[in-house]
C-alpha cells in the first residue's frame, strides 16, 4: 500500500575520478583493446601518484591475483573496471598492494590499490589507466568532465 519497505531502485550513479591525474579520452589509451572500446567505454587517467580509490559505492567483483585491475559493480548495476597501466598483468602483482577482495562492499573514496608508480613506470610501456563501464549496452552517460579533480564527478552513468 505505502511501499514503505520497497527498496528504491537506483538508476544513476556519479563516477568520481579514482586517481589523481590528467583525464584522457579512452581513444588515447595505447592499447587497442581499450582504445577501440572492445571491453567497454569510458575515460583514461595519466596518474600522478599510485593511490587508486573507489569511484563509486558498490561491490568488488574483480580483483585478479596480479592486482593490476579492480572491478566494481555500482549500486545501479554498472560495472566499472579500473585497469592500472598497460601490460601490468605481466608484473604478476609486483609493485601493487590491494586493500580489497572480491565480495567487499566499498564506498566512493575508499582506497582500493596502492601502486609503486616509479617501479611500474620502469617496467611497463605506459601507466595510462582506463576507467571503463564494462557493460555499456545497458548504460549511458553524459559528457565526460575532463577537468575533474580527484574524487570529483567525471561522468554520471544512467541505466537505460
Amino acid at each position: 500500500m505505502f511501499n514503505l519497505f520497497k527498496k528504491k531502485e537506483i538508476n544513476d550513479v556519479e563516477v568520481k575520478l579514482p586517481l589523481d591525474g590528467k583525464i584522457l579520452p579512452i581513444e588515447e589509451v595505447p592499447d587497442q583493446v581499450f582504445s577501440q572500446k572492445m571491453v567497454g567505454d569510458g575515460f583514461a587517467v595519466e596518474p600522478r601518484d599510485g593511490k587508486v580509490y573507489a569511484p563509486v559505492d558498490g561491490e568488488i567483483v574483480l580483483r585478479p591475483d596480479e592486482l593490476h585491475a579492480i572491478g566494481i559493480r555500482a549500486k545501479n548495476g554498472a560495472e566499472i573496471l579500473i585497469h592500472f597501466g598497460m601490460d601490468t598483468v605481466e608484473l604478476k602483482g609486483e609493485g601493487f598492494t590491494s586493500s580489497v577482495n572480491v565480495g567487499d562492499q566499498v564506498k566512493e573514496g575508499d582506497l582500493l590499490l596502492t601502486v609503486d608508480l616509479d617501479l611500474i613506470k620502469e617496467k611497463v610501456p605506459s601507466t595510462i589507466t582506463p576507467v571503463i563501464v564494462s557493460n555499456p549496452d545497458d548504460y549511458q552517460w553524459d559528457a565526460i568532465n575532463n577537468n575533474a579533480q580527484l574524487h570529483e564527478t567525471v561522468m554520471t552513468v544512467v541505466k537505460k
Side-chain angles (χ1 to χ4, degrees):
M1 178 168 150
F2 292 106
N3 293 324
L4 294 176
F5 300 105
K6 187 176 181 184
K7 212 174 186 181
K8 185 176 181 246
E9 187 170 328
I10 297 172
N11 290 317
D12 60 316
V13 169
E14 290 183 359
V15 177
K16 310 290 183 162
L17 188 61
L19 58 161
D20 187 23
K22 179 182 177 189
I23 298 172
L24 303 169
I26 196 69
E27 294 83 4
E28 290 186 21
V29 174
D31 182 315
Q32 290 184 345
V33 170
F34 295 106
S35 65
Q36 293 184 5
K37 305 175 186 176
M38 293 179 199
V39 292
D41 195 0
F43 59 95
V45 182
E46 189 170 355
R48 289 189 189 103
D49 70 22
K51 301 283 189 196
V52 180
Y53 302 93
V56 295
D57 293 352
E59 178 183 357
I60 301 298
V61 294
L62 173 77
R63 201 228 60 206
D65 291 340
E66 296 83 8
L67 308 177
H68 67 293
I70 296 283
I72 303 170
R73 183 177 302 113
K75 298 291 185 184
N76 69 346
E79 294 176 358
I80 311 296
L81 174 69
I82 304 167
H83 188 285
F84 199 97
M86 299 296 108
D87 298 339
T88 48
V89 67
E90 304 298 328
L91 300 177
K92 296 180 176 27
E94 181 184 4
F96 291 89
T97 304
S98 176
S99 299
V100 294
N101 292 301
V102 170
D104 288 355
Q105 296 294 316
V106 295
K107 294 282 188 194
E108 183 271 313
D110 286 353
L111 183 64
L112 303 176
L113 286 175
T114 304
V115 181
D116 183 336
L117 191 58
D118 292 332
L119 175 78
I120 301 298
K121 281 181 178 179
E122 292 175 8
K123 298 190 177 236
V124 299
S126 175
T127 58
I128 291 175
T129 300
V131 180
I132 61 172
V133 177
S134 60
N135 55 347
D137 293 343
D138 300 327
Y139 298 88
Q140 60 191 23
W141 46 91
D142 51 5
I144 291 173
N145 175 8
N146 292 313
N147 298 315
Q149 301 298 309
L150 182 63
H151 305 302
E152 292 180 350
T153 301
V154 178
M155 63 186 189
T156 300
V157 177
V158 180
K159 192 180 247 185
K160 288 183 182 177

